[in-house]
């Protein structure tokens, strides 16, 4: 088993919205609605006291296991959820307690819908964002409380390839200056050192860029070439760990395959570890050793790529995999597409219980109340679901 390179424990990243939540009107409305439904469903029962006190008593009964009509139960759950966060400051919960371990020389893929917190997680483990809670370990050292100054030596070992190859490169610098900037900053070379330019050209050649391009500017390159420049910049310091944040999403399919093959070749040559963030499940399968699936700031499933694609256990993972285009006509005809209803909930006001229950075709009552634990249901296969492997 390779050594652990990077590990996050209970990592949370909340961004304050600058607003406070005040739900007095909504609580009053829900209480009145609950009383009305109670009278409708139980006409022989009496309602005593204020609506608020009566409904709070119903909520306690529900929490103690008493069963109510489905429509009333839904309103009581909503009332209970609003009561818990009444008057609290609002936060965007980008990452909500993520545990992840990355070993030396491996590639961990991270997939999920836009806005689920993938890029935020990648930037947080690099300490580009300060984590709200949890711990980050790199090479066995806790770097959670490291300052910017403390992180400077580690920048040589932790790098990132940004998502947009157009905005991530300084238009006023040549390719040589872009790739060589970090080398000069960390004192590895001096600007007048004869070996400096030769090393930059060597890195460019490794990434499929010709020597004469060293004096050109980013606007003179195509999207694929720009992404290669971004890869060369990250590779220049020979890091142990690189976050590839949608590194191929802005490229066409033929260029994507070139860049993916380049990343694989560089990993074999230098033994780096990647956190590969992407929407494209086919690309992630090709490059990753293990894959994590995120939904609304949570990790819902994590395992090796073969287990994930052959035996997905979380309903959300099954829905994602069913959306992969199939090139085989016979398989395409027999493939069942799982369509999720509704929109992604707000990551400011998240659903109670399992965050996926509002869209899950297999959701039960317990899913609306209790947050599922992230358990190892098979060896190396972790799932956050009350009913892992359920048919949908």
């Amino acid at each position: 088993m390779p050594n652990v390179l990077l590990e996050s424990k209970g990592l949370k990243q909340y961004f304050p919205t600058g607003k406070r939540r005040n739900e007095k009107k909504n609580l009053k409305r829900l209480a009145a609605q609950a009383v009305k439904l109670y009278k409708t469903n139980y006409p022989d029962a009496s309602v005593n006291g204020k609506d608020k006190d009566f409904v709070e008593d119903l909520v306690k009964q529900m929490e103690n296991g008493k069963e109510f009509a489905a429509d009333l139960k839904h309103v009581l759950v909503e009332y209970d959820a609003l009561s818990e966060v009444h008057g609290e400051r609002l936060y965007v919960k980008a990452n909500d307690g993520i545990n992840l371990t990355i070993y030396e020389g491996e590639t961990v893929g991270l997939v999920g819908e836009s806005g689920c917190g993938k890029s935020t997680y990648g930037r947080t483990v690099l300490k580009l964002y300060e984590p709200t809670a949890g711990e980050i370990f790199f090479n066995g050292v806790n770097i959670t409380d490291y300052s910017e100054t403390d992180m400077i030596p580690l920048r040589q070992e932790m790098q990132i390839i940004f998502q947009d190859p157009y905005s991530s490169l300084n238009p006023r610098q040549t390719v040589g200056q872009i790739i060589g900037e970090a080398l000069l900053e960390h004192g590895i070379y001096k600007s007048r050192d004869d070996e400096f330019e030769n090393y930059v050209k060597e890195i460019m050649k490794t990434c499929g860029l010709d020597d004469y391009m060293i004096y050109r500017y980013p606007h003179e390159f195509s999207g694929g070439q720009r992404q290669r420049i971004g890869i060369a910049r990250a590779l220049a310091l020979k890091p142990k760990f690189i976050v590839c944040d949608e590194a191929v999403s802005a490229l066409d399919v033929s260029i994507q395959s070139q860049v993916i093959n380049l990343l694989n070749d560089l990993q074999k040559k230098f033994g780096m570890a990647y956190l590969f963030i992407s929407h494209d499940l086919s690309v992630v399968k090709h490059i990753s050793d293990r894959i994590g699936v995120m939904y609304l700031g949570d990790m819902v499933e994590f395992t090796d790529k073969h287990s994930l694609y052959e035996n997905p256990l979380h309903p959300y993972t099954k829905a994602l995999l069913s959306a992969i285009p199939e090139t085989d006509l016979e398989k395409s005809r027999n493939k069942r597409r799982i369509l999720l209803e509704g929109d992604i909930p707000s990551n400011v006001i998240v659903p109670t219980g399992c965050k996926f229950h509002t869209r899950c075709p297999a959701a039960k009552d317990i899913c609306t109340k209790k947050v599922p634990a992230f358990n190892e249901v098979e060896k190396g296969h972790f799932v956050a679901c009350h009913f892992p492997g359920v048919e949908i």
Side-chain angles (χ1 to χ4, degrees), residues 214-251:
I214 194 170
Y215 300 113
R216 289 191 173 185
Y217 290 87
H219 71 271
E220 300 178 78
F221 294 90
S222 67
Q225 288 173 322
R226 287 185 187 217
Q227 198 62 285
R228 288 173 182 269
I229 296 169
I231 293 171
R233 176 175 59 184
L235 187 66
L237 293 171
K238 294 184 178 177
K240 294 181 179 178
F241 174 63
I242 298 179
V243 173
C244 304
D245 185 11
E246 302 277 6
V248 297
S249 64
L251 310 177

Side-chain angles (χ1 to χ4, degrees), residues 96-278:
D96 203 9
I98 296 179
N99 300 311
L100 181 62
T101 301
I102 300 175
Y103 297 100
E104 291 181 351
E106 78 162 343
T107 300
V108 172
L110 207 55
V111 298
E113 292 170 296
S114 295
C116 71
K118 305 185 301 296
S119 296
T120 298
Y121 177 77
R123 291 175 183 234
T124 302
V125 295
L126 291 180
K127 292 279 287 179
L128 298 178
Y129 294 152
E130 285 297 323
T132 305
E135 294 179 307
I136 305 168
F137 293 85
F138 185 77
N139 262 344
V141 179
N142 190 335
I143 64 170
T144 311
D145 298 323
Y146 273 28
S147 64
E148 290 185 12
T149 304
D150 295 331
M151 285 299 298
I152 290 175
L154 287 179
R155 294 298 175 207
Q156 297 184 50
E157 301 183 38
M158 307 168 74
Q159 285 290 310
I160 183 171
I161 301 170
F162 291 99
Q163 179 173 355
D164 187 356
Y166 290 88
S167 64
S168 61
L169 303 179
N170 189 335
R172 295 180 178 176
Q173 289 185 327
T174 63
V175 171
Q177 291 172 327
I178 290 171
I179 297 173
E181 184 177 17
L183 297 169
L184 300 177
E185 187 69 27
H186 288 279
I188 298 173
Y189 290 100
K190 294 183 179 179
S191 58
R192 296 182 181 179
D193 193 333
D194 293 338
E195 291 300 314
F196 172 60
E197 186 171 314
N198 291 335
Y199 180 76
V200 172
K201 287 181 177 178
E202 180 186 336
I203 292 296
M204 290 175 61
K205 185 178 180 181
T206 302
C207 296
L209 299 167
D210 293 323
D211 290 358
Y212 69 88
M213 296 178 177
I214 194 170
Y215 300 113
R216 289 191 173 185
Y217 290 87
H219 71 271
E220 300 178 78
F221 294 90
S222 67
Q225 288 173 322
R226 287 185 187 217
Q227 198 62 285
R228 288 173 182 269
I229 296 169
I231 293 171
R233 176 175 59 184
L235 187 66
L237 293 171
K238 294 184 178 177
K240 294 181 179 178
F241 174 63
I242 298 179
V243 173
C244 304
D245 185 11
E246 302 277 6
V248 297
S249 64
L251 310 177
D252 60 65
V253 176
S254 60
I255 302 300
Q256 277 186 13
S257 61
Q258 293 177 21
V259 173
I260 292 297
N261 290 333
L262 171 62
L263 290 172
N264 279 329
D265 292 341
L266 294 175
Q267 186 176 49
K268 292 175 183 176
K269 185 175 181 180
F270 298 109
M272 298 174 295
Y274 295 139
L275 176 64
F276 193 87
I277 298 167
S278 179

Side-chain angles (χ1 to χ4, degrees), residues 298-315:
D298 287 341
M299 188 79 74
V300 296
E301 188 162 3
F302 185 78
T303 184
D304 66 89
K305 64 179 179 182
H306 299 295
S307 296
L308 188 84
Y309 283 79
E310 294 169 10
N311 183 33
L313 298 179
H314 197 281

Side-chain angles (χ1 to χ4, degrees), residues 34-47 54 58 61 66-73 76:
V35 170
K36 184 178 179 181
L37 287 170
Y38 185 81
K39 290 179 178 178
T40 302
N41 290 309
Y42 310 103
D44 297 332
S46 59
V47 176
F54 177 75
L58 291 182
Q61 293 180 45
K66 185 170 181 180
E67 289 295 327
F68 292 103
D71 51 357
L72 174 60
K73 197 171 186 179
L76 292 177

